[in-house]
Amino acid sequence: MTPEQCRTDTEACARHIAERLGPDLRIAAPLGLGKPHGLLNALYRLTQADGSRSMTLYTALSLTRPRPQPGLEERFAKPFLDRHFGLDTEDPQYAVDQARNALPTNVAVHEFYMQSGALLQSGSAQRNYISQNYTHVARDLVVQDINLLVQLVARRETPEGVRYSLSCNPDLTLDFLDQARAAGRARPLCVAVVHPDLPYLSGHAEVEANFFDLELRPETAAPLFALPRQPVDLAEYALGLHASALVKDGGCLQIGIGALSDALVHALLLRQRDNVHWRRALVALDPRGATHALAARFGGLAPFDIGLYGASEMVMDGFMHLQRAGILRRRSWDNLGLERASAAGRLAPETPGGHYLRGAFFLGTRELYRWLDETEAADPDAIDMCRVSNVNQLYGNHQALASLQRRGARFFNTCMMATLLGSAVSDGLEDGRVVSGVGGQYNFVAMAHELPDGRSALLLRATRKVRGTVETNIRFNYGHCTIPRHLRDLFVTEYGVADLRGKSDNECVEAMLAISDARFLDALCAEAKSAGKLSPDFQIPEKWRLNTPEHLREALGAMERRGLFPAFPFGSDFTEVEQRLLPALGWLKSKSGSWRGRWELLRALFQPGEPVEGEGEALVRMELIGQGSLQERVLRRLVSAGLRRTARRLG
């Protein structure tokens, strides 16, 4: 690039772009980590200040720092958020304004995937949402007259000149530009925003210097967005144990993000490192051997000898833990990998090589970002970040190789609800509001049916709490679905696995009832019979009546107390005091959602119970010491009550 193409001042760069492109900015920006918040904010401010200008943004997963509610939530969360994200973090301001319905009229934001639940109350976000499969986004962008593409990149100086890595987001950029060129569309202005901490990944993520028209290298950079590690509870561990028996040695693995995926990864590690206790836990959950039977058919119970190959649209921390444990290690060459290895002298007939993990974007903790950096330095072939079209589908000239790479594939995704007939609700509500988005879930479910030995497994908790009351996540029917029932395959809850592939509706209803919470079995059974989808003489087996949280705790409680199922399986970003507060505050929140719970809280104010170890430190952390106002004294007694009740329960 020439000196005129290289910038260091973000505001000046934004003004240059605005002058060059005119009053109507139509911007494409990557999802998640690859969005350059500073430049987008500068462009947004220019548009806000000038009503003659307009800005339309096409993107997804606009990551913002959580904004806690006033009261106990803010007292707990604000110090943690300041520590974890840093005081100099920069949110995309358009996303903050959109969440509070404050976008100016000359700005429109279209997202195909939202932070889960964050924009349910945003009218503009709901109206401007574009429902798309991940692999169709690039195609659909071509007709939107995009005139600006901005992307966070890593930069490297080599003897041959400057190189850039699309790093965390090669997913859509390459596909979009190629399809725009093939359609005869004008190439948008492409701006690289260099971040010094973004891991440089080579291979398919690497592009030459002339790929971009402008380079912005700000003198200071806000920290990369890093996800805090979340706790995993016993029901989630139970689900992970069932799911881990479905994984075949030598196969391919796709996993998502969240507590259910963390539970699955922990169970796979346990299967590898402590197979005896893993089997004992599975027997305790599944004494009649239903999950064992499925494992014998297409999963496994032994540690991993060959190892797994990872092919997942999202690369997250779980893959790092699996690689460190020696589970993620089955490698695959592609043409680019062979060329690079041969040129570097690393390729010989007897030398293993290739990549063991292929992904389209990454997002996770700071530990993940360090691991990616270290892996690139030590083993540049190991991780292949590439186009989403090479990860989420089997079509095109890579179909034969992709099918071979993904032999024995197990694609694990999460959903919010499922029906007895096998459809899944993952992205929205029946009133039309969008919780998150389809993303790539449909792609992987459909791909599992295309592969000769592939299976899709959708993970969900059997129940959830809504305003203090327990509701079932397995319904007879629901007015919206993400995955239609003709693609039904495997569903996993804390109570077992339902194998629905090739089954009749009656068989599917029975299989889903078997993994439902016992408290809802009679109502679900009656509804299915009323609709004629379950035999009139069907009787609920007594063994299904054990599908209760109490039975789970009885089955796994002793192992939990021995440390097999820690609250934070991969370490915690919370201090020990904060970890003690989390269940207490969770208890208070759950009780505040119903009249019965609020009555219990009222009693706790006057009968808080006996003090427990660490209570004083917890109150100091919440800044609830000293006399304080009446409100602070009430909050102090409530927090004490929560600490005492959760300490007793955990003990």
Side-chain angles (χ1 to χ4, degrees):
M1 283 193 180
T2 66
E4 291 76 22
Q5 293 174 293
C6 300
R7 308 278 171 149
T8 58
D9 185 312
T10 300
E11 299 293 335
C13 184
R15 289 193 297 270
H16 171 78
I17 291 169
E19 291 167 5
R20 180 168 172 174
L21 296 180
D24 182 20
L25 294 178
R26 301 184 64 81
I27 309 171
L31 63 85
L33 192 63
K35 244 186 294 296
H37 292 176
L39 180 57
L40 286 172
N41 283 346
L43 293 168
Y44 179 59
R45 285 191 291 270
L46 282 176
T47 309
Q48 273 185 310
D50 185 353
S52 68
R53 303 192 62 84
S54 68
M55 172 177 157
T56 306
L57 175 64
Y58 295 88
T59 188
L61 196 59
S62 296
L63 299 166
T64 60
R65 171 177 156 146
R67 282 170 165 73
Q69 295 296 315
L72 288 177
E73 184 177 322
E74 187 174 38
R75 282 175 179 267
F76 175 82
K78 188 177 183 307
F80 169 75
L81 295 174
D82 289 346
R83 184 180 74 240
H84 180 78
F85 290 103
L87 297 175
D88 54 349
T89 187
E90 186 170 18
D91 285 334
Q93 189 59 44
Y94 70 84
V96 175
D97 289 349
Q98 187 175 48
R100 57 189 184 91
N101 288 301
L103 274 183
T105 55
N106 58 341
V107 174
V109 179
H110 300 275
E111 299 206 44
F112 71 88
Y113 197 96
M114 306 175 186
Q115 273 190 288
S116 185
L119 296 174
L120 276 172
Q121 307 306 322
S122 170
S124 66
Q126 293 295 326
R127 290 189 296 273
N128 290 329
Y129 167 73
I130 300 177
S131 184
Q132 296 163 300
N133 287 339
Y134 202 172
T135 51
H136 296 161
V137 175
R139 176 202 68 190
D140 296 345
L141 277 177
V142 170
V143 299
Q144 297 296 345
D145 296 324
I146 302 297
N147 58 13
L148 175 62
L149 185 149
V150 296
Q151 175 143 8
L152 212 62
V153 302
R155 184 182 189 274
R156 175 179 287 175
E157 295 188 10
T158 72
E160 293 76 32
V162 172
R163 303 278 289 181
Y164 297 105
S165 170
L166 303 184
S167 185
C168 55
N169 284 93
D171 51 339
L172 293 172
T173 299
L174 300 170
D175 281 336
F176 163 59
L177 292 176
D178 281 356
Q179 291 189 40
R181 182 173 59 252
R185 298 276 180 166
R187 189 178 191 270
L189 181 72
C190 295
V191 181
V193 182
V194 177
H195 197 292
D197 299 329
L198 195 64
Y200 191 102
L201 297 176
S202 53
H204 287 103
E206 195 171 34
V207 297
E208 295 181 356
N210 62 5
F211 184 88
F212 290 101
D213 304 301
L214 286 176
E215 177 198 279
L216 172 60
R217 199 170 355 155
E219 294 178 357
T220 60
L224 291 173
F225 192 98
L227 296 173
R229 289 167 286 196
Q230 297 296 315
V232 178
D233 68 23
L234 202 59
E236 289 157 347
Y237 274 126
L239 188 153
L241 286 165
H242 287 295
S244 65
L246 305 176
V247 179
K248 181 180 180 181
D249 189 20
C252 171
L253 184 67
Q254 184 252 339
I255 46 180
I257 195 167
L260 298 184
S261 297
D262 286 349
L264 167 59
V265 171
H266 180 77
L268 289 171
L269 295 175
L270 197 61
R271 172 177 161 181
Q272 180 76 357
R273 294 168 170 169
D274 192 351
N275 193 257
V276 171
H277 279 103
W278 177 79
R279 288 183 184 232
R280 287 177 180 172
L282 201 57
V283 169
L285 285 174
D286 181 38
R288 289 165 297 279
T291 300
H292 284 74
L294 293 176
R297 281 175 48 207
F298 53 76
L301 296 173
F304 297 94
D305 180 38
I306 303 170
L308 302 178
Y309 170 80
S312 182
E313 66 181 25
M314 179 177 181
V315 171
M316 37 70 79
D317 287 61
F319 288 108
M320 169 182 69
H321 299 302
L322 293 172
Q323 187 273 334
R324 287 173 172 172
I327 297 173
L328 188 70
R329 67 173 184 270
R330 179 170 73 79
R331 295 197 180 227
S332 173
W333 288 109
D334 60 17
N335 290 337
L336 177 62
L338 287 169
E339 291 170 8
R340 294 174 68 217
S342 178
R346 296 193 304 271
L347 186 62
E350 69 280 3
T351 304
H355 61 275
Y356 52 69
L357 178 58
R358 166 168 278 182
F361 77 100
F362 64 74
L363 178 64
T365 66
R366 292 186 183 90
E367 184 183 4
L368 174 70
Y369 305 155
R370 288 192 298 271
W371 175 73
L372 290 166
D373 243 342
E374 293 163 0
T375 302
E376 169 70 21
D379 188 357
D381 296 320
I383 299 170
D384 180 26
M385 297 300 299
C386 61
R387 305 163 184 250
V388 72
S389 59
N390 282 349
V391 180
N392 285 34
Q393 62 187 22
L394 298 175
Y395 314 124
N397 57 14
H398 71 292
Q399 180 173 359
L401 177 60
S403 298
L404 181 62
Q405 290 170 340
R406 296 167 206 194
R407 62 183 182 269
R410 299 294 177 264
F411 300 135
F412 292 97
N413 290 282
T414 59
C415 60
M416 300 186 299
M417 290 178 280
T419 71
L420 293 181
L421 295 172
S423 62
V425 182
S426 307
D427 69 314
L429 306 177
E430 59 186 349
D431 63 6
R433 286 183 297 159
V434 182
V435 176
S436 54
V438 176
Q441 184 171 117
Y442 177 89
N443 296 131
F444 281 100
V445 172
M447 197 190 314
H449 286 272
E450 295 169 13
L451 291 164
D453 55 356
R455 300 302 300 261
S456 160
L458 294 179
L459 315 178
L460 75 157
R461 289 285 297 264
T463 63
R464 67 179 184 273
K465 282 193 174 181
V466 179
R467 293 182 291 277
T469 60
V470 178
E471 294 185 1
T472 179
N473 284 330
I474 297 179
R475 310 291 187 91
F476 173 69
N477 201 12
Y478 192 73
H480 170 78
C481 82
T482 312
I483 304 300
R485 71 184 194 182
H486 69 267
L487 290 177
R488 58 197 182 193
D489 200 340
L490 298 166
F491 283 92
V492 188
T493 74
E494 60 267 41
Y495 301 119
V497 183
D499 182 3
L500 309 186
R501 183 180 283 195
K503 302 291 179 63
S504 68
D505 280 0
N506 187 92
E507 290 170 321
C508 288
V509 169
E510 290 189 19
M512 292 299 287
L513 287 172
I515 64 169
S516 299
D517 189 286
R519 291 167 286 185
F520 301 95
L521 282 174
D522 291 311
L524 288 169
C525 184
E527 200 169 0
K529 287 183 177 180
S530 176
K533 289 296 182 179
L534 187 61
S535 174
D537 59 357
F538 175 80
Q539 298 294 318
I540 296 172
E542 283 305 309
K543 61 186 178 182
W544 296 358
R545 303 288 183 186
L546 296 176
N547 290 354
T548 64
E550 293 76 20
H551 184 258
L552 285 182
R553 186 159 293 279
E554 181 181 338
L556 298 181
M559 297 181 194
E560 180 186 37
R561 288 188 289 274
R562 287 202 297 269
L564 259 65
F565 306 116
F568 291 89
F570 305 116
S572 177
D573 301 295
F574 297 102
T575 66
E576 288 186 13
V577 174
E578 289 167 343
Q579 291 179 49
R580 193 177 299 121
L581 277 163
L582 279 171
L585 296 176
W587 179 82
L588 291 171
K589 185 175 183 178
S590 69
K591 295 301 178 185
S592 65
S594 66
W595 283 108
R596 180 178 295 178
R598 287 192 285 273
W599 176 250
E600 191 173 343
L601 291 179
L602 184 62
R603 284 190 300 163
L605 280 174
F606 299 100
Q607 300 172 351
E610 294 298 319
V612 295
E613 182 181 354
E615 183 176 322
E617 293 174 284
L619 293 174
V620 169
R621 167 61 178 79
M622 295 292 289
E623 297 185 356
L624 290 172
I625 54 173
Q627 191 64 19
S629 65
L630 175 61
Q631 182 186 31
E632 288 174 329
R633 294 198 299 272
V634 170
L635 291 177
R636 181 166 64 244
R637 291 182 72 87
L638 286 173
V639 172
S640 291
L643 288 164
R644 295 168 191 184
R645 278 156 177 76
T646 52
R648 281 202 298 271
R649 186 171 72 240
L650 291 173

Short mmCIF file of all heavy atoms in Angstrom, two decimals, residues 229-254:
data_model
loop_
_atom_site.label_atom_id
_atom_site.label_comp_id
_atom_site.label_asym_id
_atom_site.label_seq_id
_atom_site.Cartn_x
_atom_site.Cartn_y
_atom_site.Cartn_z
N ARG A 229 -16.15 -16.97 31.14
CA ARG A 229 -16.50 -18.38 31.28
C ARG A 229 -17.68 -18.53 32.24
O ARG A 229 -17.71 -17.91 33.31
CB ARG A 229 -15.30 -19.18 31.77
CG ARG A 229 -14.22 -19.32 30.71
CD ARG A 229 -12.91 -19.83 31.26
NE ARG A 229 -12.20 -18.80 32.03
CZ ARG A 229 -10.92 -18.86 32.35
NH1 ARG A 229 -10.21 -19.90 31.96
NH2 ARG A 229 -10.35 -17.90 33.05
N GLN A 230 -18.66 -19.35 31.84
CA GLN A 230 -19.91 -19.47 32.57
C GLN A 230 -19.94 -20.77 33.39
O GLN A 230 -19.28 -21.75 33.05
CB GLN A 230 -21.09 -19.47 31.60
CG GLN A 230 -21.24 -18.17 30.82
CD GLN A 230 -21.55 -17.00 31.72
OE1 GLN A 230 -22.41 -17.07 32.61
NE2 GLN A 230 -20.85 -15.88 31.51
N PRO A 231 -20.73 -20.79 34.47
CA PRO A 231 -20.84 -22.03 35.25
C PRO A 231 -21.68 -23.09 34.54
O PRO A 231 -22.48 -22.78 33.65
CB PRO A 231 -21.54 -21.54 36.54
CG PRO A 231 -22.31 -20.33 36.14
CD PRO A 231 -21.50 -19.67 35.05
N VAL A 232 -21.48 -24.32 34.95
CA VAL A 232 -22.23 -25.47 34.42
C VAL A 232 -22.87 -26.17 35.60
O VAL A 232 -22.20 -26.48 36.59
CB VAL A 232 -21.30 -26.45 33.66
CG1 VAL A 232 -22.07 -27.66 33.15
CG2 VAL A 232 -20.60 -25.73 32.50
N ASP A 233 -24.19 -26.43 35.52
CA ASP A 233 -24.85 -27.09 36.64
C ASP A 233 -25.00 -28.59 36.40
O ASP A 233 -24.62 -29.11 35.34
CB ASP A 233 -26.20 -26.42 36.96
CG ASP A 233 -27.26 -26.62 35.88
OD1 ASP A 233 -27.15 -27.58 35.10
OD2 ASP A 233 -28.20 -25.81 35.83
N LEU A 234 -25.55 -29.28 37.38
CA LEU A 234 -25.57 -30.73 37.34
C LEU A 234 -26.44 -31.27 36.20
O LEU A 234 -26.10 -32.27 35.56
CB LEU A 234 -26.05 -31.29 38.69
CG LEU A 234 -25.65 -32.73 38.99
CD1 LEU A 234 -24.13 -32.87 38.97
CD2 LEU A 234 -26.20 -33.18 40.34
N ALA A 235 -27.57 -30.62 35.94
CA ALA A 235 -28.43 -31.07 34.84
C ALA A 235 -27.69 -30.94 33.50
O ALA A 235 -27.81 -31.81 32.62
CB ALA A 235 -29.72 -30.26 34.83
N GLU A 236 -26.93 -29.87 33.34
CA GLU A 236 -26.17 -29.69 32.11
C GLU A 236 -25.07 -30.74 31.99
O GLU A 236 -24.80 -31.25 30.89
CB GLU A 236 -25.60 -28.27 32.08
CG GLU A 236 -26.70 -27.22 31.86
CD GLU A 236 -26.34 -25.83 32.35
OE1 GLU A 236 -25.35 -25.69 33.10
OE2 GLU A 236 -27.07 -24.88 32.02
N TYR A 237 -24.45 -31.08 33.11
CA TYR A 237 -23.46 -32.17 33.08
C TYR A 237 -24.10 -33.49 32.68
O TYR A 237 -23.51 -34.28 31.93
CB TYR A 237 -22.78 -32.30 34.44
CG TYR A 237 -21.60 -31.39 34.62
CD1 TYR A 237 -21.52 -30.52 35.70
CD2 TYR A 237 -20.54 -31.39 33.71
CE1 TYR A 237 -20.42 -29.67 35.88
CE2 TYR A 237 -19.45 -30.55 33.87
CZ TYR A 237 -19.39 -29.70 34.96
OH TYR A 237 -18.31 -28.87 35.11
N ALA A 238 -25.31 -33.75 33.19
CA ALA A 238 -26.00 -34.98 32.83
C ALA A 238 -26.24 -35.04 31.33
O ALA A 238 -26.02 -36.07 30.68
CB ALA A 238 -27.32 -35.08 33.59
N LEU A 239 -26.67 -33.91 30.77
CA LEU A 239 -26.88 -33.85 29.33
C LEU A 239 -25.57 -34.11 28.58
O LEU A 239 -25.53 -34.86 27.60
CB LEU A 239 -27.46 -32.48 28.99
CG LEU A 239 -27.94 -32.22 27.57
CD1 LEU A 239 -29.02 -31.15 27.56
CD2 LEU A 239 -26.80 -31.80 26.65
N GLY A 240 -24.49 -33.48 29.05
CA GLY A 240 -23.20 -33.67 28.40
C GLY A 240 -22.73 -35.11 28.42
O GLY A 240 -22.13 -35.60 27.46
N LEU A 241 -23.00 -35.81 29.51
CA LEU A 241 -22.61 -37.22 29.61
C LEU A 241 -23.34 -38.05 28.56
O LEU A 241 -22.73 -38.88 27.87
CB LEU A 241 -22.91 -37.75 31.01
CG LEU A 241 -21.97 -37.28 32.11
CD1 LEU A 241 -22.57 -37.54 33.49
CD2 LEU A 241 -20.62 -37.97 32.00
N HIS A 242 -24.65 -37.86 28.45
CA HIS A 242 -25.40 -38.60 27.43
C HIS A 242 -24.85 -38.29 26.03
O HIS A 242 -24.64 -39.20 25.23
CB HIS A 242 -26.88 -38.21 27.49
CG HIS A 242 -27.63 -38.78 28.66
ND1 HIS A 242 -27.84 -40.12 28.82
CD2 HIS A 242 -28.22 -38.16 29.71
CE1 HIS A 242 -28.53 -40.33 29.94
NE2 HIS A 242 -28.78 -39.15 30.49
N ALA A 243 -24.63 -37.01 25.74
CA ALA A 243 -24.18 -36.61 24.41
C ALA A 243 -22.80 -37.17 24.09
O ALA A 243 -22.52 -37.55 22.94
CB ALA A 243 -24.18 -35.09 24.29
N SER A 244 -21.93 -37.23 25.08
CA SER A 244 -20.55 -37.67 24.83
C SER A 244 -20.46 -39.12 24.41
O SER A 244 -19.47 -39.53 23.78
CB SER A 244 -19.69 -37.43 26.08
OG SER A 244 -20.12 -38.24 27.16
N ALA A 245 -21.46 -39.92 24.73
CA ALA A 245 -21.46 -41.33 24.31
C ALA A 245 -21.85 -41.51 22.85
O ALA A 245 -21.72 -42.60 22.30
CB ALA A 245 -22.41 -42.14 25.20
N LEU A 246 -22.31 -40.43 22.22
CA LEU A 246 -22.72 -40.51 20.82
C LEU A 246 -21.56 -40.26 19.86
O LEU A 246 -21.70 -40.43 18.65
CB LEU A 246 -23.82 -39.48 20.54
CG LEU A 246 -25.05 -39.54 21.43
CD1 LEU A 246 -25.99 -38.39 21.11
CD2 LEU A 246 -25.76 -40.88 21.29
N VAL A 247 -20.41 -39.84 20.41
CA VAL A 247 -19.26 -39.45 19.57
C VAL A 247 -18.44 -40.68 19.23
O VAL A 247 -18.05 -41.46 20.11
CB VAL A 247 -18.40 -38.40 20.29
CG1 VAL A 247 -17.20 -38.01 19.43
CG2 VAL A 247 -19.24 -37.16 20.62
N LYS A 248 -18.14 -40.81 17.95
CA LYS A 248 -17.42 -41.98 17.44
C LYS A 248 -15.94 -41.67 17.29
O LYS A 248 -15.57 -40.64 16.74
CB LYS A 248 -18.02 -42.37 16.08
CG LYS A 248 -17.41 -43.59 15.43
CD LYS A 248 -18.09 -43.85 14.09
CE LYS A 248 -17.51 -45.07 13.39
NZ LYS A 248 -18.18 -45.30 12.07
N ASP A 249 -15.09 -42.55 17.78
CA ASP A 249 -13.64 -42.37 17.63
C ASP A 249 -13.29 -42.35 16.14
O ASP A 249 -13.80 -43.16 15.35
CB ASP A 249 -12.90 -43.51 18.33
CG ASP A 249 -11.40 -43.26 18.39
OD1 ASP A 249 -10.97 -42.11 18.24
OD2 ASP A 249 -10.65 -44.25 18.61
N GLY A 250 -12.42 -41.43 15.77
CA GLY A 250 -12.05 -41.28 14.37
C GLY A 250 -13.01 -40.42 13.58
O GLY A 250 -12.83 -40.23 12.37
N GLY A 251 -14.04 -39.88 14.25
CA GLY A 251 -15.06 -39.11 13.56
C GLY A 251 -14.78 -37.63 13.53
O GLY A 251 -13.66 -37.16 13.76
N CYS A 252 -15.82 -36.88 13.20
CA CYS A 252 -15.76 -35.43 13.04
C CYS A 252 -16.70 -34.79 14.06
O CYS A 252 -17.77 -35.34 14.36
CB CYS A 252 -16.16 -35.05 11.62
SG CYS A 252 -16.39 -33.28 11.33
N LEU A 253 -16.31 -33.63 14.58
CA LEU A 253 -17.07 -33.00 15.65
C LEU A 253 -17.36 -31.55 15.32
O LEU A 253 -16.49 -30.80 14.88
CB LEU A 253 -16.28 -33.07 16.96
CG LEU A 253 -16.97 -32.54 18.22
CD1 LEU A 253 -18.15 -33.41 18.60
CD2 LEU A 253 -15.97 -32.46 19.37
N GLN A 254 -18.61 -31.15 15.53
CA GLN A 254 -19.01 -29.74 15.52
C GLN A 254 -19.74 -29.44 16.81
O GLN A 254 -20.60 -30.20 17.25
CB GLN A 254 -19.93 -29.43 14.34
CG GLN A 254 -20.30 -27.95 14.22
CD GLN A 254 -21.73 -27.64 14.60
OE1 GLN A 254 -22.59 -28.51 14.60
NE2 GLN A 254 -22.00 -26.39 14.95
#
